[in-house]
Amino acid sequence: MKLILSIVVLFSVCFYCKAQTSDFDSLVVSFGTRVGPFFEDSISVPSIYKGKDFNISLADSSIGFKTKTIVINSPNPNSLFPLSYSVIYKGHVISLFEPGHYACFRLSDFSRNKNLEAALNKRKFKAHWLIDNKLYGLSKGRFWYLNSSNNWIKTQKLPLKVNSKSHLYENKDYIVFSDCNGEWGGTVYFYNRETKETYFTEATCANTVTKDEEGFKILSHLGHEGGSADLKLVPDPTKLTNLKNLKTKRINIETNEFSNSTKHVAELFDFYWIQLFSSFEWEDKILYVVHWQNRTFLAEINGNKVLIVDPLFNSDLYTHEPITKKYASGEIFINLDDYGTAVEREISMILIRDKEIIKIDWNKKH
């Protein structure tokens, strides 16, 4: 009886080990050669790396997201990448290409909806956004929104900086947006809908904003040198510096202009030699899109512990200024750029719905 029990236990342990390594085999192989500040030691799962700022280990098994990559051709062969970041609107991915025309792709099968395109392309636009479930566009220096009859209506100036990037977060009280100057810093802004005041603090460079009972959580990353990532908590944006108090709208983070803001911002973690491109809530977990050692994967983070929970695409997926948003319809959408491919233009998108993750590339795989 003892012999049989021992065999069962041994079989269970071995089976567990095999499941773990087979789920993450490509990642483990790619981590075999370490460079930069990392120790030149061999990897023994589940521990992958132990360092000063953080530790990395493998989960017992991966979440098992179903992943796939598709390629969509732009409607204009002379304009390979959108003018502004794509959005999800009424069951479609809405993208804008030169010379200012929309392309609409159904979420169900990513086929084009040319009837919707005809309705949207009655004007030429330079940029577009989705705010409060309304589609906005910039045309000839003026802002327009699309009404329920698919007609463009002129509206007032939007409460965010006009650039190709989307805002990061919105609720009934605030619209949150940001800018990024790379190694020279960045800023996150909180526009108060009621008072029409804008507050700001440093964030280099914000890619995801979420809100819970503690306040606003700002995830930032930078690829300069070995890369870095941090998570900040802003309990009350009205305690931050008011933008109108500055003599100039050009913000230099090396001055004391943030001195009134930093004491109202809590640092939850601050890592070096790792990048976090995104975070999103899935079931009861907060998952991070992590880039480390030329691989990108999904992980949970608890303090300084990084737990790899899914190999994602088992690839070296990289981006510079991504933006993540969760839509009212339930989808999570990540816009990806790459300076080497298209400067600040969107080259890919990641769509997360249920237990499926789809990477959508423009024109060819990136």
Side-chain angles (χ1 to χ4, degrees):
M1 184 66 179
K2 289 183 180 181
L3 177 61
I4 295 174
L5 181 59
S6 299
I7 293 173
V8 171
V9 171
L10 178 61
F11 176 80
S12 299
V13 172
C14 293
F15 180 80
Y16 161 82
C17 295
K18 183 178 180 181
Q20 185 176 58
T21 55
S22 63
D23 282 349
F24 303 105
D25 55 356
S26 181
L27 285 177
V28 172
V29 169
S30 68
F31 294 154
T33 304
R34 302 188 178 193
V35 297
F38 302 106
F39 300 109
E40 295 290 340
D41 59 352
S42 59
I43 292 176
S44 58
V45 296
S47 178
I48 297 295
Y49 168 73
K50 291 184 178 181
K52 179 180 178 181
D53 286 345
F54 57 89
N55 303 326
I56 299 180
S57 60
L58 296 179
D60 293 345
S61 60
S62 70
I63 290 176
F65 276 105
K66 179 182 177 182
T67 59
K68 68 178 179 180
T69 299
I70 65 173
V71 176
I72 298 180
N73 293 324
S74 69
N76 182 351
N78 297 318
S79 177
L80 300 181
F81 304 106
L83 290 169
S84 53
Y85 278 8
S86 301
V87 301
I88 293 178
Y89 177 71
K90 292 187 175 180
H92 293 77
V93 173
I94 308 294
S95 306
L96 181 65
F97 291 88
E98 292 174 321
H101 294 154
Y102 289 99
C104 306
F105 302 91
R106 297 177 180 89
L107 280 178
S108 57
D109 58 4
F110 301 101
S111 62
R112 286 179 63 181
N113 185 336
K114 294 189 176 182
N115 290 332
L116 182 56
E117 291 178 5
L120 269 56
N121 289 327
K122 294 175 182 177
R123 308 185 62 87
K124 289 184 179 180
F125 291 87
K126 293 183 65 176
H128 73 307
W129 304 265
L130 190 78
I131 302 176
D132 298 329
N133 294 319
K134 287 185 179 180
L135 187 64
Y136 288 85
L138 176 65
S139 176
K140 295 184 177 179
R142 296 183 177 274
F143 293 91
W144 304 73
Y145 77 90
L146 194 70
N147 68 8
S148 58
S149 300
N150 286 342
N151 294 317
W152 289 105
I153 308 298
K154 193 182 300 182
T155 185
Q156 61 185 357
K157 186 176 180 180
L158 297 181
L160 52 89
K161 285 193 171 185
V162 178
N163 56 30
S164 62
K165 306 294 191 297
S166 170
H167 61 297
L168 291 162
Y169 178 86
E170 65 181 57
N171 63 13
K172 62 182 181 62
D173 300 313
Y174 287 95
I175 296 177
V176 186
F177 55 99
S178 67
D179 58 27
C180 175
N181 300 306
E183 61 189 280
W184 292 278
T187 312
V188 61
Y189 304 89
F190 296 83
Y191 172 79
N192 188 298
R193 294 178 186 262
E194 182 180 358
T195 64
K196 303 189 186 308
E197 303 283 354
T198 300
Y199 304 87
F200 72 94
T201 190
E202 184 271 339
T204 308
C205 286
N207 58 51
T208 310
V209 173
T210 55
K211 173 79 166 60
D212 60 21
E213 65 277 1
E214 295 181 296
F216 292 89
K217 292 180 178 177
I218 301 100
L219 178 67
S220 305
H221 87 279
L222 185 65
H224 184 58
E225 294 184 347
S228 60
D230 62 75
L231 183 67
K232 293 183 173 69
L233 171 65
V234 177
D236 182 1
T238 63
K239 302 293 185 182
L240 305 178
T241 304
N242 193 318
L243 190 61
K244 74 177 182 180
N245 293 337
L246 297 181
K247 294 180 180 179
T248 174
K249 291 185 178 180
R250 184 174 179 83
I251 299 171
N252 183 353
I253 67 168
E254 295 180 355
T255 69
N256 292 324
E257 291 169 346
F258 288 101
S259 60
N260 294 330
S261 295
T262 52
K263 62 183 179 181
H264 300 293
V265 178
E267 187 176 272
L268 301 181
F269 62 67
D270 189 8
F271 300 148
Y272 289 90
W273 298 99
I274 192 170
Q275 295 181 63
L276 307 180
F277 293 150
S278 169
S279 70
F280 59 91
E281 185 176 359
W282 183 78
E283 294 185 346
D284 59 343
K285 306 175 186 295
I286 301 296
L287 302 183
Y288 293 83
V289 179
V290 181
H291 184 79
W292 182 75
Q293 288 290 83
N294 298 317
R295 281 291 188 182
T296 301
F297 48 85
L298 294 181
E300 294 182 58
I301 297 178
N302 184 10
N304 70 339
K305 298 178 181 178
V306 179
L307 180 69
I308 302 175
V309 297
D310 197 275
L312 196 55
F313 297 101
N314 265 320
S315 73
D316 59 351
L317 182 151
Y318 195 82
T319 182
H320 290 87
E321 293 185 38
I323 282 179
T324 299
K325 291 178 68 177
K326 182 175 181 179
Y327 285 79
S329 50
E331 297 91 355
I332 297 163
F333 203 52
I334 308 174
N335 306 95
L336 307 174
D337 68 339
D338 184 88
Y339 290 160
T341 304
V343 190
E344 295 185 349
R345 297 281 186 92
E346 172 189 274
I347 67 166
S348 306
M349 302 158 281
I350 290 179
L351 173 67
I352 304 169
R353 53 188 179 189
D354 300 323
K355 209 173 179 179
E356 180 182 42
I357 301 181
I358 303 172
K359 183 168 177 278
I360 306 164
D361 287 327
W362 289 117
N363 302 291
K364 64 178 182 179
K365 289 187 177 182
H366 303 291

